[in-house]
Amino acid sequence: MKPGNLSEFKDTVLKNRAMLTARQLEAADFALNHPNDLAFNSLTEISKLSGIATAMFVRLAQALEFKGFSEMQKIFREPLIEKSTPSYSERIRHYQGEEHLSDPNNGGALIDSFARANKISLDYLRENSEDLELDKAIDLILAAPSISILGLRRSFPLATYLSYALYRFKIANTLITGLAGFAEDQLDLMQAGDLLIVMSFPPYAEATVEFCAKARAAGVRILAITDDPLGIIAHEAEQIIEVHDAVLHGFRSLTASMCIVQSLAIGIGYRKRLNGEEILLDEIDC
């Protein structure tokens, strides 16, 4: 069970999350989202940075069958020692408020900043594309008796586009928007075995958290698109598509997330055509 590298660490935590306490999961979540901090800081400093007691990191290490925290820390340290340049995931985080414009009224400079941030997001997505199991997500969508799509606040454009694209491929779905107070009624219509596609990123909209909890209680399967595989949205999801968008000047880039949504849609089109349906992709107009 003991992980031998970062990839195995993540997989082991996800597969064994039921045996970990809530605080241990928080420690694992911090470790995965701040690998540099975990690799080179003392346990005391890590506790200060995370707001999580040192004992939780020690207990997490023990639960994953490490001899102690130091042995667990090594799997975070080794890849950083081997690489002299930061990973795409680290560079994405470096865009969170660290870049400053000398002239905020310079539209060209704004475009340049966002273009570079978006490129980093897409480069990271390409580097990790084989791990996202897009085919599995397509299987879930095509097998679902009924599909609902939920994406509130900044995730709303993603949810709206996916709903539109699925209709273009003749897949009925319900876009949960909360308009006219119908969100609860829409969720009440979902039954065990139906599929909820939810797109959400921390900090989560309170309504999204509540809707996901009700869907799980009703036996609804969940496909989660998020950047936090250990977060409450991903809890007990049938599948998680993990996507990381850059955050620049307080705005989250949706470029990589939209690429996921578009890839899902076109993948469904190809699958339906492979199954003998007459799908003219050039006429879909998505």
Side-chain angles (χ1 to χ4, degrees):
M1 175 183 172
K2 183 175 70 174
N5 54 49
L6 275 181
S7 178
E8 290 180 7
F9 178 90
K10 178 179 175 181
D11 290 343
T12 302
V13 170
L14 289 173
K15 290 176 182 177
N16 296 278
R17 61 185 305 160
M19 62 168 278
L20 300 174
T21 67
R23 293 298 283 169
Q24 287 171 348
L25 284 172
E26 287 180 16
D29 193 32
F30 178 83
L32 288 169
N33 284 290
H34 304 84
N36 283 5
D37 290 330
L38 202 87
F40 296 114
N41 286 303
S42 68
L43 190 51
T44 300
E45 188 61 28
I46 292 170
S47 177
K48 290 179 181 178
L49 291 169
S50 64
I52 300 170
T54 58
M56 289 302 106
F57 290 97
V58 174
R59 291 172 187 169
L60 172 65
Q62 293 170 342
L64 299 180
E65 298 185 1
F66 290 102
K67 294 178 181 177
F69 174 78
S70 296
E71 186 182 16
M72 184 177 78
Q73 189 178 40
K74 286 181 181 178
I75 68 171
F76 287 85
R77 184 174 296 170
E78 287 171 357
L80 298 176
I81 293 174
E82 293 172 2
K83 283 188 174 183
S84 59
T85 57
S87 67
Y88 284 125
S89 57
E90 286 303 299
R91 284 194 282 158
I92 286 174
R93 279 192 284 273
H94 288 166
Y95 269 92
Q96 295 185 7
E98 294 189 8
E99 184 171 321
H100 301 280
L101 294 172
S102 57
D103 182 5
N105 295 315
N106 185 332
L110 281 172
I111 292 173
D112 179 70
S113 293
F114 276 101
R116 286 188 288 113
N118 289 335
K119 181 179 182 300
I120 287 173
S121 297
L122 289 173
D123 285 343
Y124 181 71
L125 181 64
R126 287 185 63 194
E127 188 180 72
N128 296 274
S129 60
E130 293 299 326
D131 298 328
L132 300 182
E133 298 184 307
L134 197 71
D135 288 339
K136 179 181 175 182
I138 292 171
D139 290 340
L140 282 173
I141 292 171
L142 292 178
S146 175
I147 299 170
S148 294
I149 301 174
L150 175 63
L152 303 180
R153 296 184 181 175
R154 59 188 171 193
S155 300
F156 186 70
L158 303 171
T160 304
Y161 185 89
L162 181 58
S163 177
Y164 163 75
L166 291 184
Y167 272 117
R168 296 297 292 160
F169 286 111
K170 303 186 185 304
I171 296 179
N173 66 88
T174 300
L175 178 63
I176 299 175
T177 64
L179 292 176
F182 284 142
E184 294 284 351
D185 299 284
Q186 290 173 318
L187 279 170
D188 287 342
L189 292 175
M190 298 189 73
Q191 300 178 6
D194 289 345
L195 180 66
L196 174 64
I197 305 174
V198 58
M199 307 161 191
S200 191
F201 308 90
Y204 303 115
E206 184 177 344
T208 301
V209 176
E210 293 176 356
F211 291 160
C212 286
K214 290 181 179 179
R216 283 192 292 267
V220 174
R221 305 168 84 180
I222 295 177
L223 170 60
I225 300 176
T226 183
D227 61 358
D228 187 7
L230 295 178
I232 192 168
I233 296 302
H235 183 56
E236 294 184 6
E238 186 85 8
Q239 185 187 354
I240 303 162
I241 297 180
E242 184 179 354
V243 56
H244 293 272
D245 279 302
V247 178
L248 182 61
H249 309 307
F251 285 82
R252 178 185 293 275
S253 162
L254 294 177
T255 305
S257 298
M258 185 61 77
C259 185
I260 290 291
V261 169
Q262 290 175 319
S263 298
L264 269 175
I266 194 67
I268 287 169
Y270 278 120
R271 180 73 66 81
K272 288 171 75 72
R273 192 169 73 175
L274 184 65
N275 291 338
E277 297 187 39
E278 290 190 15
I279 300 291
L280 300 177
L281 294 175
D282 291 339
E283 298 181 6
I284 292 297
D285 190 27
C286 278

